[in-house]
Amino acid sequence: MEALILKDDLMAPEVVADPHTYYRKLRESERVHWNERWKGWVLTGYKEVVDVLRDPDHFSSDRMGYLENELTPQEREEIAPIFKVLKYWMVFRDPPSHTVLRMLLNKLFTPTAVERYRPMVRKIVQKALDKVVDRGKMEVVHDLAYDIPMSVVLELIGAPDLDREKIKEWSEAIGVFFFIKADEPRRREIACEGITSLVNYIEPLIVHRREHPGTDMISLLIAAEEAGQITYNDVLGTCVLLIFGGHETTMNLIANGTLALMQDSDQWTLLHKKPELIKKAVEELLRFDGSVKSTVRWAKEDVMVGDKLIKKGERLLVSLSGANRDPLQFTAPDKLDITRDPNLHVAFAHGIHVCLGASLARMEAEEAFAGMIKRISCPRLPEDAYLNYYPSVVHRALKNLPVTFHKL
Amino acid sequence: MGIKVTVNHNRCVGSRLCVGFLPDAFKLNGQGQSELITTGGVNAEEFVQTAGQCPQSAIKVEDAETGEVLFPPAELEM
């Protein structure tokens, strides 16, 4: 492992399979570490991570702006379709333009606002479990986790009938762009195709909603555009962002959380006996093995992080999973403890870019786990099962999670 | 009605939303977390609205005399 740290290979199969061990070793040796291969700083300590995330004055999220500077004019031209949309994603913007969009959209995503989707989520979970309980086995990602966030996000934008298979396919294509050093030479081309298809699919919906406004997210965005608060590019970019970002991460959270509870069956049993612990349990599952391992920032000027001087323009890989297992912040960080309180994890990041859909994801995960705990025994991995994660520095994403159980 | 407003620093992630919605009432402290400046000049309803925007439900609004919790409702408590 020490040799691996020296090689700085964040995509090594053993790091993808078990990022926590890698980040623990890295944190123990150097909390702010220059990764020569990635040409950026890797932060694995809680305090350093939180300091950076809560400080948008010194650390930028303008990913597309920094990327644009690194590319040749020809490369820029090749990925123009990506720039045209991603430039307007809230996640890649700094104040003040970030602030306008965030404050506008936030009202649809508050802890109170997302409760309106709970009955719908409960039904989806029930239906998914109805299909598998007698079989005694399921594949958690596709039989349960996938459908929940996708249904909710389509409901939220007011378009429940969109073609989910197509959206999934295009979202995966866009996702290829974000896999740092992914072993896919055509990754930019694939992402361009994905984003163009998704844009072509969504634009008629925006046109229609402009003529027939409702109470959905697209109508809210259009109203703000017409009031001069945001632009059409903001409307389109935000729709793409929500559809793309709205389903995969929550799906992964449900799969990772199920696996974590399975591997510590005492915790599964405790939750079964005390279902009132569900909110704390979800927080702990987010901390223990959340679906986003890291996020990236750029130094706007020379600035100290921990004991290291970060130079203007340098990038930082902010390890959320690293911070979430820092023993200086969490007692026995490698132990799953669904009663942990307080639990100020960074699974949704901190600061102005804290996940817009955090409350939605929490509610969806609560319903998924509460549903399972009630109706099935603690699942087990079949003997021939092999846990396979997508090769990504950013996402903690199981390709599938086959489990067996018995009906309660 | 007099109100009491508190920010729970075991929950606040520094989203700055409260500062955005009520800049005269909230500011950031040295750790990038929210802090109350004053409850003066802002009515209870505005505080409840703003507390509801917090993704962490970190802001508690109470009736100062009776101690009645105006926000968050019990089901949002973690």
Side-chain angles (χ1 to χ4, degrees):
Chain A
M1 185 54 74
E2 280 72 13
L4 196 58
I5 290 171
L6 292 175
K7 279 198 292 181
D8 280 340
D9 188 359
L10 298 170
M11 291 287 282
E14 53 271 50
V15 179
V16 169
D18 178 14
H20 304 295
T21 300
Y22 177 79
Y23 286 124
R24 175 170 58 78
K25 300 255 183 188
L26 190 54
R27 190 191 322 104
E28 284 168 358
S29 65
E30 212 178 15
R31 296 166 72 89
V32 181
H33 169 74
W34 176 261
N35 183 305
E36 185 55 33
R37 186 187 275 245
W38 184 64
K39 303 279 183 219
W41 298 93
V42 179
L43 278 55
T44 47
Y46 183 89
K47 185 181 184 307
E48 295 81 354
V49 162
V50 162
D51 283 350
V52 168
L53 292 175
R54 289 184 192 161
D55 184 2
D57 300 330
H58 290 96
F59 301 97
S60 171
S61 295
D62 184 12
R63 178 174 187 148
M64 302 317 283
Y66 283 92
L67 178 62
E68 207 165 1
N69 291 336
E70 289 170 18
L71 300 175
T72 64
Q74 197 204 330
E75 285 175 317
R76 270 202 289 261
E77 184 56 35
E78 278 165 18
I79 58 166
I82 300 182
F83 269 103
K84 217 185 120 202
V85 177
L86 272 64
K87 226 165 99 171
Y88 298 97
W89 281 13
M90 221 176 359
V91 286
F92 298 149
R93 290 166 83 171
D94 291 334
S97 70
H98 167 269
T99 317
V100 176
L101 262 175
R102 176 69 193 231
M103 286 174 72
L104 174 70
L105 283 171
N106 198 68
K107 62 181 88 151
L108 296 179
F109 292 90
T110 65
T112 309
V114 302
E115 285 300 317
R116 63 193 279 215
Y117 302 107
R118 191 183 288 273
M120 174 186 156
V121 172
R122 192 164 293 175
K123 261 189 220 155
I124 296 169
V125 172
Q126 289 306 342
K127 232 170 98 184
L129 290 174
D130 285 346
K131 280 188 202 160
V132 299
V133 281
D134 289 322
R135 255 197 267 156
K137 61 177 186 179
M138 70 170 150
E139 197 282 279
V140 177
V141 179
H142 301 97
D143 290 338
L144 177 71
Y146 167 65
D147 215 24
I148 302 168
M150 182 66 110
S151 303
V152 173
V153 83
L154 293 183
E155 191 70 27
L156 197 104
I157 63 166
D161 300 327
L162 291 186
D163 187 331
R164 293 163 193 225
E165 285 309 308
K166 280 187 188 164
I167 290 176
K168 186 170 156 49
E169 187 191 319
W170 299 328
S171 297
E172 275 173 15
I174 299 170
V176 170
F177 179 73
F178 296 99
F179 290 169
I180 296 171
K181 287 190 194 291
D183 44 2
E184 172 53 67
R186 286 181 66 245
R187 67 189 190 113
R188 285 177 174 162
E189 210 177 320
I190 292 171
C192 281
E193 286 163 15
I195 208 138
T196 305
S197 305
L198 191 51
V199 165
N200 290 341
Y201 195 59
I202 293 171
E203 282 204 299
L205 193 65
I206 301 176
V207 172
H208 181 262
R209 210 49 56 77
R210 199 182 291 280
E211 286 156 12
H212 307 92
T215 54
D216 56 280
M217 188 193 83
I218 299 182
S219 302
L220 177 86
L221 287 165
I222 291 171
E225 181 206 341
E226 289 174 352
Q229 292 172 287
I230 60 172
T231 66
Y232 177 71
N233 288 326
D234 294 324
V235 178
L236 179 63
T238 303
C239 290
V240 173
L241 172 62
L242 269 284
I243 291 175
F244 168 77
H247 68 275
E248 203 186 320
T249 44
T250 310
M251 175 180 90
N252 294 333
L253 169 64
I254 293 169
N256 297 349
T258 305
L259 179 62
L261 284 170
M262 283 162 61
Q263 289 176 333
D264 198 334
S265 58
D266 289 351
Q267 295 291 300
W268 177 284
T269 308
L270 178 61
L271 187 56
H272 178 75
K273 283 188 187 146
K274 295 186 168 181
E276 67 275 15
L277 285 173
I278 189 67
K279 280 181 192 287
K280 283 194 176 70
V282 167
E283 293 310 300
E284 177 65 350
L285 294 168
L286 280 157
R287 182 196 71 83
F288 190 78
D289 201 14
S291 51
V292 182
K293 289 185 285 191
S294 55
T295 181
V296 183
R297 294 290 185 273
W298 286 262
K300 287 174 147 181
E301 51 194 84
D302 290 4
V303 58
M304 292 296 290
V305 175
D307 57 356
K308 298 282 166 40
L309 175 69
I310 315 294
K311 294 263 176 62
K312 182 181 176 176
E314 286 179 343
R315 59 182 180 175
L316 304 96
L317 188 79
V318 181
S319 172
L320 306 176
S321 355
N324 279 336
R325 301 276 190 115
D326 186 347
L328 293 184
Q329 175 69 17
F330 300 101
T331 311
D334 296 320
K335 168 84 181 89
L336 183 75
D337 173 7
I338 62 166
T339 67
R340 195 180 288 274
D341 186 23
N343 191 352
L344 192 53
H345 61 75
V346 294
F348 292 121
H350 276 205
I352 63 167
H353 289 285
V354 62
C355 175
L356 175 69
S359 303
L360 206 49
R362 284 175 165 132
M363 180 273 286
E364 291 171 13
E366 281 164 28
E367 290 298 322
F369 296 124
M372 275 191 281
I373 289 283
K374 232 186 289 171
R375 297 184 64 186
I376 63 173
S377 66
C378 182
R380 289 163 180 260
L381 277 179
E383 269 178 29
D384 56 348
Y386 170 68
L387 295 176
N388 203 351
Y389 289 87
Y390 283 99
S392 166
V393 174
V394 175
H395 294 113
R396 176 78 166 149
L398 276 166
K399 288 186 177 168
N400 46 56
L401 179 59
V403 299
T404 60
F405 50 80
H406 59 82
K407 185 179 169 177
L408 294 184
Chain B
M1 172 177 70
I3 49 167
K4 184 181 164 199
V5 175
T6 41
V7 180
N8 182 347
H9 286 172
N10 281 329
R11 299 214 42 83
C12 175
V13 295
S15 75
R16 303 190 181 191
L17 284 154
C18 55
V19 180
F21 284 106
L22 286 179
D24 295 332
F26 293 100
K27 63 172 183 179
L28 293 172
N29 66 14
Q31 281 73 50
Q33 291 183 307
S34 169
E35 232 172 55
L36 182 77
I37 305 169
T38 173
T39 54
V42 180
N43 65 41
E45 183 51 30
E46 284 176 287
F47 269 114
V48 168
Q49 287 288 332
T50 295
Q53 294 291 322
C54 176
Q56 294 286 108
S57 304
I59 304 170
K60 191 174 186 180
V61 187
E62 295 164 274
D63 182 318
E65 282 92 56
T66 65
E68 182 199 352
V69 177
L70 306 174
F71 197 90
E75 63 269 23
L76 293 185
E77 294 279 1
M78 291 204 177

